[in-house]
Structure formats: structure tokens, C-alpha cells
Amino acid sequence: MRVIIVGAGEVGFHIAKRLASENKDVVVIDRNPAVLQRILDHMDVQVLEGSGCSPLVLREAGVDKADMLLAVTDSDEINLMACTFAKMLAPGLTKLARIRNDEYTAYAEQLSREIGIGLIINPEVEVVRSIEHMLRAPGAVDISDLAGGRIKLAGTWITEGNPLAGLRLLELRRKAGDMPLIVAAIVRNDKVIVPTGSDEIRQGDLVYFVCEDSQLQPVFSFLGNRPGRKSSVLIIGGGNIGLRLARSLEKKPIHVKLLDKSPERCADLAGELDRTVVLVGDGTDQEVLLEENIGAMDVVVTMTGNEESNILSSLLARKLGTPMAITRLNKIEYMPLVRAIGLEHIVSPRLSAVNSIFKHVRKGGVLSAVAIKDGAEALEALAGPDSSLVGNALKDLSFPKGVLVLCIMRGDSVLIPSGDDVIRSGDRLFILSLTESIPEVERMLTRGREED
């Protein structure tokens, strides 16, 4: 699989890194030699200095031989132009574009028809969706949709005093009884563990589980999280994401305040929002937060474009009594450091863009993919009639190491499988795989019966 990535910023870097780890043929285009050198220092891919919207540069990158073009620069216009010229040079090429401006995304259907953009990624929409998930299930530090939202993949910390700490997974399953809970992965010291029944849950683990959407709250209660109703939210930062989030929360029974230090921006926000209380002030100023009775708010969401300000505002909010702070970060590498200082609920527009794109990069009938840290992915795949998996019991399939079939969706039923369950044509398979095993999983999903 040959992939051309236009843009070597945070999004392009992390997409290239994950594809290179799977031995994909990757070409990264950017005008900035410094970011290209960073790419070369960290991975074995081809780089090309130049503009990704130049037809000459695209031709030099081998666009006519590529399988996919990912336009992920910070400029919507460059991304659109790159896709436009790629359409001229390689009409059958699959194209994905990162577009944030609503004036462009409103014409998604026309862009798909005229330029052939297979998918438009708006990371701001994904971030707002992630925040809404966290508000619904405050015990989750990471939550993603599978099967169109019917299935949830969520992660929660095992904190001090959690009664599940010290239990092996076999014991956990017995304790859960009929509750349809599947432990998908355990993250311990930033390493992803694909668990077996003998693995033990420990204090400090980040445990990922899969369940049906309707069971999310009962499962969180079982795992030691007893979330209360979130009825008041303070948003710090009135940029595009802050405005989009406030608009969304206004539709719910939530009291929303929005704080921004620009009087001019606040005047614009007040004109665009209905029920949100818009306030002028600096979210890093403790006196301002005290004036707004920050300790009485259920949740503070820090959404400015400055990471340091977001971190400081979240820490101040927690210190002053707010039970939950959601922090926006741009640099994905900061996430472990920020969690180490006590900020667990983190969202990243760039990471959201990476995950959204990977849902559409996978082969072999893969319908969606969700990353778990840098070490694993949860794949949702359709078992086609010609797949070599169909007609075989799970215990007879030679999946590579670090691969686990989490559950099977058959029609409207969700099955927690045993080794004796046989895969049928049309089944949706939810598979956890370590990164290094994904190419083999893709091959197994793609390979027809005659190739066995």
C-alpha cells in the first residue's frame, strides 16, 4: 500500500509513524525542511520538500502509482488544492482531506462529487463528540464509537481503593455475572497488554473495555465509577471549538458558561449563542475563577489554542474544587506528562484527526479503527462471503500474537465469543490487535478461501 501524506505537522507525523511501523510505502510532502528532518529522524519513509498542492511535486511523489492521498496540512485551502490536482493526475486515487472551516464542509457532497474527496475530516467535530462522551460517562478518560455508536470502546483508570484491583480477569468475569463486559486491553506504564484470563488488574492500570451503548452506565458503576449528573459546565476559550461545544451543550439540560479574555470575541459569541452565559476574563487568573465560583461547577473544559494556558487553567480548576477538568492539547507527546500531574481527561484535535483518518486507511473489510495509545488498535471488520475466516471456529484460526476477537455482532445481537463460535458471512468482528500484527490481520480479513 502506497500512501502520500501532504503535511508533516503533528497529524502527518503520527500518521506516517503508524503506517511506517506496518511497513507501508509512505511519502511525506512539506515545504518546511525542519519538519521533514524530524520525520527522517524517527522513521523510515520517503520525504519530498515542496508544496503538496503543486502538480509537479505530486507527480514527483508518484501520485499516479499511489493507493491513497492524505491531505492533512493546517491549511484547508492547500488540502483542497492538493486533492484537486491529485484528481487530475490520478482519477482513481482515494483522497482524504482535513477540513475545519464550516463554509467548506457544508459542501462536502459537492467536494466528493467534483474533486473525488472520499472523506472530509473535521477534527473539531470529533473533539466535541469526545467531550460529550466524557460528560455522559465521566469515569471514562477515552471513549470511542464502534458499529455506528452501538458499541463503545472506553478506558478508565483503576484508582486507589478500587475493589477490582488485584483481580484476575477470570475472577472479574465471574464477578460481573451476566453483565456483557469485555476487557479489551490493559495499559500499564504506557505499554499495551492484550489480556488473557490469567492477567491481573492492578492499581494504576488504564483498563479498556467494550460494551453495548445501553450498558455503558452499569458497566462504569461495576468498574468503580459512580458518576453524578453533570448539570453545569464552564468552557474556557471561545475559539472555534469552544463555540461549537457551547452550541452543542445548549441543546442539553446543562447550564453553560463560556469565558474568554477578548471583549471583542465575547461580543461575537454572545450574538451567536442563546442560553450560554458569556464572560470576559482570563482562565489562568485564580481571582477570575473564584469570582465565577469555579468550585461549584461540575466540569471545566479548557479549549484555548495555548496548551500551557489550558494545563494551568485545568490545574487551577481542580485545586479550587471542580471535580472534573477536560483539557485540550495539541502536541500528542504531552499527554503522558499531563496525566502524570493529575489531568486525566484530555482531548486533542490532532489525535482526533489521526484516529478519524485511520478508520478509512485500513484494508480487508475494516469498517473503522480506533487507536489505543501507540501500541494497538480496535478494528471493526466485516466478514465477507469469500473471507477465509468464514466457516471456521475461533479456536481454529491462527491469528498472530497480540490479537483478540472481542465480540461479534450478528444482525442486532452482540455475542461475547468462545473458542467454539464459528464466524459467519456478514458478521461484524471487533478485533483488538497490537500494531505490529495489524498487517497480518488485514491479510487474513482480505484473503479468500482459495488462497488458504
Side-chain angles (χ1 to χ4, degrees):
M1 188 177 189
R2 182 176 178 84
V3 181
I4 296 175
I5 301 172
V6 178
E10 287 290 308
V11 175
F13 176 88
H14 284 277
I15 292 172
K17 184 178 179 182
R18 283 166 63 176
L19 290 175
S21 70
E22 301 167 21
N23 297 316
K24 300 287 196 298
D25 186 8
V26 180
V27 183
V28 183
I29 303 172
D30 202 286
R31 289 181 294 186
N32 186 337
V35 296
L36 291 177
Q37 187 58 50
R38 181 190 176 211
I39 294 272
L40 290 174
D41 290 343
H42 287 84
M43 63 198 82
D44 182 18
V45 302
Q46 181 183 344
V47 300
L48 188 59
E49 186 178 340
S51 172
C53 60
S54 162
L56 294 178
V57 172
L58 289 173
R59 187 177 286 116
E60 186 179 352
V63 69
D64 56 324
K65 300 180 182 67
D67 298 287
M68 182 173 290
L69 181 133
L70 309 176
V72 294
T73 75
D74 285 334
S75 167
D76 291 353
E77 290 75 18
I78 289 177
N79 295 339
L80 287 170
M81 287 299 295
C83 290
T84 300
F85 280 113
K87 168 80 180 297
M88 297 178 187
L89 298 170
L93 182 69
T94 300
K95 296 172 285 296
L96 280 68
R98 176 190 180 193
I99 307 292
R100 292 174 293 179
N101 191 326
D102 285 340
E103 294 180 9
Y104 296 142
T105 56
Y107 290 88
E109 185 179 336
Q110 291 89 335
L111 290 171
S112 174
R113 184 174 61 250
E114 301 297 332
I115 305 179
I117 299 178
L119 181 73
I120 290 177
I121 302 294
N122 188 333
E124 296 175 358
V125 172
E126 298 297 328
V127 164
V128 169
R129 186 177 291 119
S130 295
I131 294 170
E132 290 177 334
H133 283 330
M134 290 180 182
L135 294 178
R136 180 185 167 202
V141 295
D142 193 5
I143 186 164
S144 302
D145 289 335
L146 296 167
R150 169 79 184 275
I151 305 292
K152 291 288 191 286
L153 171 72
T156 185
W157 291 103
I158 302 300
T159 55
E160 184 177 358
N162 191 303
L164 301 183
L167 285 181
R168 292 184 304 132
L169 290 192
L170 281 174
E171 298 168 330
L172 177 70
R173 288 172 191 149
R174 283 195 290 267
K175 191 171 182 178
D178 294 331
M179 183 173 292
L181 166 66
I182 308 111
V183 175
I186 298 172
V187 180
R188 183 175 297 153
N189 299 323
D190 282 331
K191 181 181 179 182
V192 180
I193 300 169
V194 178
T196 64
S198 61
D199 280 300
E200 180 182 274
I201 295 175
R202 300 177 187 174
Q203 179 182 313
D205 283 350
L206 176 56
V207 175
Y208 280 85
F209 63 89
V210 169
C211 71
E212 292 189 65
D213 179 67
S214 60
Q215 295 295 312
L216 194 61
Q217 295 293 354
V219 167
F220 266 105
S221 295
F222 171 73
L223 292 173
N225 296 288
R226 304 194 181 278
R229 182 170 174 266
K230 302 302 178 185
S231 59
S232 60
V233 175
L234 172 65
I235 303 168
I236 298 176
N240 290 340
I241 301 179
L243 173 60
R244 192 184 293 273
L245 177 61
R247 280 176 175 160
S248 179
L249 295 182
E250 282 187 335
K251 301 172 185 176
K252 300 173 171 56
I254 295 176
H255 176 59
V256 185
K257 292 183 179 180
L258 195 156
L259 183 70
D260 195 279
K261 58 185 177 182
S262 166
E264 294 80 11
R265 179 60 177 167
C266 285
D268 293 339
L269 292 168
E272 295 201 43
L273 295 166
D274 297 324
R275 296 194 302 108
T276 300
V277 177
V278 180
L279 305 162
V280 180
D282 187 345
T284 63
D285 188 329
Q286 182 168 313
E287 294 302 317
V288 170
L289 297 180
L290 286 170
E291 285 177 13
E292 296 307 324
N293 197 17
I294 190 75
M297 303 297 293
D298 293 322
V299 184
V300 168
V301 186
T302 56
M303 286 286 111
T304 77
N306 184 293
E307 289 173 314
E308 290 75 15
S309 294
N310 292 339
I311 293 168
L312 180 56
S313 296
S314 292
L315 289 172
L316 278 172
R318 292 299 308 276
K319 176 187 173 184
L320 296 173
T322 307
M324 181 178 181
I326 301 175
T327 310
R328 171 190 173 181
L329 291 182
N330 290 322
K331 293 186 178 176
I332 300 171
E333 289 87 351
Y334 281 9
M335 288 186 175
L337 301 175
V338 171
R339 288 191 172 111
I341 60 175
L343 298 178
E344 297 178 351
H345 296 86
I346 300 166
V347 292
S348 167
R350 290 170 179 171
L351 183 58
S352 294
V354 171
N355 286 335
S356 296
I357 287 168
F358 262 83
K359 292 178 183 179
H360 301 272
V361 169
R362 294 289 170 222
K363 299 187 297 181
V366 175
L367 305 174
S368 65
V370 177
I372 297 179
K373 299 295 185 182
D374 282 333
E377 286 183 31
L379 306 174
E380 175 189 353
L382 185 68
D386 296 325
S387 170
S388 61
L389 302 181
V390 172
N392 291 304
L394 290 178
K395 66 182 180 182
D396 297 327
L397 293 171
S398 55
F399 281 115
K401 183 180 179 181
V403 176
L404 178 66
V405 177
L406 301 172
C407 60
I408 298 171
M409 190 169 177
R410 184 170 293 157
D412 290 330
S413 300
V414 177
L415 311 176
I416 299 176
S418 68
D420 293 324
D421 282 300
V422 176
I423 296 176
R424 300 178 186 174
S425 176
D427 282 350
R428 283 196 187 195
L429 308 178
F430 299 88
I431 302 170
L432 183 83
S433 174
L434 294 177
T435 302
E436 59 266 25
S437 299
I438 287 174
E440 178 60 23
V441 173
E442 288 181 318
R443 280 192 289 272
M444 293 182 73
L445 288 166
T446 318
R447 191 172 59 223
R449 297 172 189 270
E450 71 280 357
E451 298 178 53
D452 287 349

